[in-house]
Amino acid sequence: MFAALGLLVAGVVVLETVRHRAERIQAQLRPVEVQSRVFGALPRQAWQWQPRPLEEKAVREALGRRGRTALVALPGARGAGKSQLAAGYARWCLDQGYDLVAWINAESGPVSELAALAAHLGLPGVAEMAPEQAAAAVCRWLERDGRARRLLVFDNVDDPDVLHGYVPSAGSTKVLITTNRREFMTMAGIAVVEVGMFSPAEAREFLARATGLDPAGDGARLGEQLGWLPLGLAQAAAFIARTGISYAEYARLLQRQDLNETLRQQAGADHPGVLKATQLSLTGLAETDHSGDAARLLRVLSLLSPDGVSRDLLVQAEPQLGLHSGVWPAVSTLVTASLVTLGGVAQAAAYGEDRRVVAVHRLTALVVRHEARKPPGDDQKAALDTAAGLLDALTERFPGDQVALRRDELDELAAHLDAVLGHTDEPSPLLLAQANWIAGLLEQAGDLTRALPLFEQTLADRERLLGAEHPNTLTSRNNLAGAYESAGRLDEAIALYVQTLADRERLLGDEHPSTLTSRNNLAYAYRSAGRLDEAIALYEQTLADRERLLGTEHPDTLTSRNNLADAYKSAGRLNEAIALHQQTLPGRPSQKAH
């Protein structure tokens, strides 16, 4: 009888669990009010945009009729104009009245931006989800309602595997992928529209419109020299239009550019002419940018996220950029030279006026960094220092208590930090401080997927550059332990807490505030792991030390008293717990310290 009753109760529990899970999924699939029809930094139309009617028609045909899902890839070489072609189709969708156009920068994977899209759409429960869960939830939402008109663009996909599980497979959402990977051309279920170079006719039309010069003869030869690559032709045309030289004169200047073999290999470009064109454009900046502002800004931008930096963040950090005439004259000069592009949309955002971005093409940024690293390397060092100062100013302003409301800003800061760290083998103490701070904000936001690797890398860098016993290294070790604890990895957390406490006792003494903090944190981890006797012993020691050193009414003392009371309660020592809580009234929550 009791066995049957137990099975019945277990069955009810299982059914309740299934019912609650079904309700959560249903809530995620309910209609939501889309706050804006556009999500993400949709690239603006390029300078002197050259129509490509064959590719444009092929994209529309491949994406098919209204009311059914479709998946189309746009493979092509770097600089071929894949993103511009996709952006042109996205703008056409907006003109046609699409309900949603979402632009996902997916070079490092789509998860973080899909999670941000889920928050943008206001899907229920997203705030409590891990990024992977939120990304999956928005995909489920995109698969429903066959009458909705939606476009999802995954831009710059570098690894086909990162899209697995995040591409809608039902409903009416159209999916467009830009990539330089050829694997997409043979994958089942994906229609392919290959994006090649300009045709000679397209190149001549573009050059004539952009420069005002007849492209016959010398213009055609210049197109051949640049491999008909749109990015290279755009930079050449901008240079010619600005300086008034002829096609032949530009070709001679281009021929004199010495292309480093290492740069050629890094770029992986089929046509080295675009690399030379970028080098020539950088040289030509000096003629129109006597203050050097544009070149300095370009070097900093080349270190930041390839997705671009938002207008609002640039404005906030303008004093740290050290420009004589401000940001926007420098940006205007770079746009005119076709060295940066403007993207995004002017729309209300959670943390600023709009979401417009300034971006440097990946090939252009590669050349900029290569030139800046040339001996003695002072330009690269100055750019790295400026980028660190920019991040310092932005993180200093970031209100830690508004993480949930300002995830867009936090995600962008994390992307810039990741990019800058990737361009230096010896990050400065200031840059490591930003890494530690941003990792903490990501942990606070519940994004342990990104917080943990950043904490781990910061600790490794500090151990390597500062030494295992430096105070900042000990702080990193303590913070990584806290992140492991938040992730439920208690054995790893306890091992790090034990090491940090031993080091602080040896280096700082038993009564140093940081030592007391470490002892409190280890006790907290012991309690979380069910090791109550060890936790209580440490809590008792910490409380006694804080009462003696800080006094009975100090906030840290009250915290210790409350933590010990909670541990007594967990151990069933209720009388002692009640007595301590009465002393601590009105009471403080148990907590770790960092």
Side-chain angles (χ1 to χ4, degrees):
M1 175 179 172
F2 288 111
L5 181 59
L7 289 173
L8 178 60
V9 170
V12 170
V13 170
V14 169
L15 287 173
E16 280 296 297
T17 302
V18 171
R19 182 176 66 81
H20 286 308
R21 182 174 183 275
E23 288 175 352
R24 286 197 304 271
I25 293 175
Q26 283 299 113
Q28 293 163 12
L29 297 180
R30 288 186 194 122
V32 298
E33 182 178 349
V34 179
Q35 298 174 359
S36 171
R37 292 194 303 136
V38 183
F39 171 83
L42 177 63
R44 293 187 177 186
Q45 185 167 294
W47 173 71
Q48 298 293 348
W49 164 250
Q50 172 61 43
R52 305 179 76 168
L54 293 179
E55 289 91 342
E56 292 165 13
K57 179 182 178 183
V59 168
R60 293 183 193 178
E61 290 178 349
L63 286 169
R65 298 185 306 276
R66 179 174 178 172
R68 68 178 182 86
T69 188
L71 180 58
V72 175
L74 304 180
R78 293 181 177 91
K82 304 179 296 295
S83 296
Q84 275 292 318
L85 184 62
Y89 181 79
R91 286 189 291 272
W92 178 83
C93 289
L94 289 173
D95 291 340
Q96 297 298 309
Y98 267 50
D99 304 297
L100 176 68
V101 171
W103 189 274
I104 305 296
N105 285 302
E107 184 177 26
S108 300
V111 170
S112 62
E113 290 214 12
L114 284 174
L117 174 60
H120 174 81
L121 295 170
L123 295 185
V126 165
E128 292 78 34
M129 294 181 189
E132 292 83 0
Q133 294 173 314
V138 80
C139 287
R140 288 195 297 269
W141 182 83
L142 289 168
E143 288 176 340
R144 66 180 300 277
D145 192 355
R147 295 169 298 176
R149 305 176 74 191
R150 304 175 183 133
L151 174 69
L152 180 63
V153 181
F154 292 106
D155 189 36
N156 280 306
V157 176
D158 191 50
D159 180 1
D161 291 339
V162 301
L163 296 184
H164 181 70
Y166 298 116
V167 177
S169 58
S172 58
T173 298
K174 311 293 186 185
V175 180
L176 198 55
I177 299 167
T178 74
T179 180
N180 57 20
R181 298 290 292 270
R182 310 290 292 178
E183 293 94 319
F184 281 97
M185 299 189 68
T186 57
M187 294 175 68
I190 298 181
V192 175
V193 176
E194 190 168 6
V195 182
M197 311 305 169
F198 277 161
S199 68
E202 290 171 337
R204 289 193 296 269
E205 182 181 344
F206 170 77
L207 288 172
R209 185 174 60 254
T211 67
L213 301 175
D214 184 354
D218 289 338
R221 283 189 286 274
L222 177 60
E224 291 176 1
Q225 193 172 347
L226 292 170
W228 309 110
L229 192 66
L231 178 65
L233 286 164
Q235 291 188 0
F239 191 100
I240 291 168
R242 187 176 71 251
T243 60
I245 64 175
S246 68
Y247 293 122
E249 288 173 308
Y250 182 87
R252 283 194 292 272
L253 291 174
L254 199 65
Q255 195 66 36
R256 294 174 193 162
Q257 294 298 309
D258 183 20
L259 185 60
N260 182 279
E261 185 59 33
T262 300
L263 175 60
R264 185 199 297 260
Q265 292 175 358
Q266 288 176 339
D270 296 327
H271 302 283
V274 67
L275 304 178
K276 289 186 176 183
T278 304
Q279 288 178 323
L280 190 53
S281 294
L282 294 177
T283 303
L285 271 183
E287 300 176 12
T288 55
D289 177 39
H290 300 297
S291 68
D293 280 358
R296 281 192 292 274
L297 178 60
L298 182 61
R299 287 192 286 269
V300 174
L301 294 175
S302 75
L303 297 171
L304 300 177
S305 169
D307 296 338
V309 56
S310 68
R311 171 192 181 278
D312 288 320
L313 292 190
L314 270 182
V315 170
Q316 289 179 41
E318 186 168 14
Q320 281 67 41
L321 292 170
L323 305 179
H324 297 89
S325 302
V327 167
W328 297 111
V331 170
S332 178
T333 298
L334 294 172
V335 170
T336 302
S338 200
L339 287 167
V340 303
T341 58
L342 297 178
V345 290
Q347 65 181 43
Y351 64 91
E353 295 177 2
D354 59 46
R355 289 292 291 144
R356 286 176 288 186
V357 297
V358 180
V360 186
H361 192 281
R362 288 157 177 80
L363 272 182
T364 303
L366 185 67
V367 178
V368 172
R369 292 192 299 270
H370 174 80
E371 295 296 308
R373 282 194 297 267
K374 286 183 175 179
D378 293 341
D379 287 342
Q380 181 76 346
K381 183 181 184 305
L384 283 166
D385 289 344
T386 301
L390 178 148
L391 287 171
D392 183 50
L394 294 174
T395 52
E396 186 176 3
R397 286 192 186 93
F398 192 97
D401 59 348
Q402 295 184 22
V403 167
L405 300 175
R406 301 177 69 162
R407 280 304 305 274
D408 285 351
E409 185 176 359
L410 175 58
D411 289 340
E412 183 177 342
L413 288 174
H416 292 317
L417 172 75
D418 184 61
V420 175
L421 288 173
H423 297 309
T424 177
D425 294 327
E426 295 192 3
S428 66
L430 181 60
L431 193 57
L432 291 177
Q434 307 320 309
N436 186 69
W437 176 250
I438 289 175
L441 291 175
L442 290 170
E443 179 189 6
Q444 185 178 332
D447 191 350
L448 291 170
T449 302
R450 288 192 295 170
L452 278 172
L454 190 51
F455 273 134
E456 290 169 339
Q457 185 59 53
T458 304
L459 174 58
D461 286 336
R462 281 179 164 170
E463 286 179 333
R464 176 171 55 88
L465 299 171
L466 304 177
E469 297 183 348
H470 191 281
N472 290 348
T473 304
L474 299 183
T475 296
S476 278
R477 192 173 295 126
N478 179 78
N479 290 352
L480 176 57
Y484 280 150
E485 187 176 355
S486 297
R489 295 163 62 173
L490 292 176
D491 290 343
E492 293 165 283
I494 288 171
L496 286 179
Y497 277 141
V498 168
Q499 182 182 353
T500 305
L501 175 57
D503 288 340
R504 282 178 167 168
E505 286 177 334
R506 176 170 50 84
L507 297 168
L508 305 175
D510 292 343
E511 298 181 350
H512 191 279
S514 295
T515 303
L516 299 182
T517 294
S518 280
R519 192 173 294 129
N520 178 78
N521 289 352
L522 178 56
Y524 195 99
Y526 278 150
R527 181 185 162 203
S528 298
R531 297 165 61 172
L532 291 175
D533 289 343
E534 293 165 285
I536 288 171
L538 287 178
Y539 276 141
E540 289 174 336
Q541 182 182 353
T542 306
L543 175 58
D545 287 341
R546 281 178 168 168
E547 285 180 333
R548 177 170 49 83
L549 297 169
L550 304 176
T552 58
E553 301 300 321
H554 191 279
D556 289 348
T557 304
L558 298 180
T559 294
S560 281
R561 190 175 296 127
N562 194 67
N563 288 352
L564 178 57
D566 286 341
Y568 281 155
K569 179 181 176 182
S570 297
R573 297 164 61 173
L574 297 182
N575 290 336
E576 294 165 284
I578 290 170
L580 285 178
H581 277 312
Q582 287 174 335
Q583 291 181 52
T584 311
L585 287 175
R588 292 172 56 84
S590 61
Q591 56 181 284
K592 296 178 290 180
H594 290 272

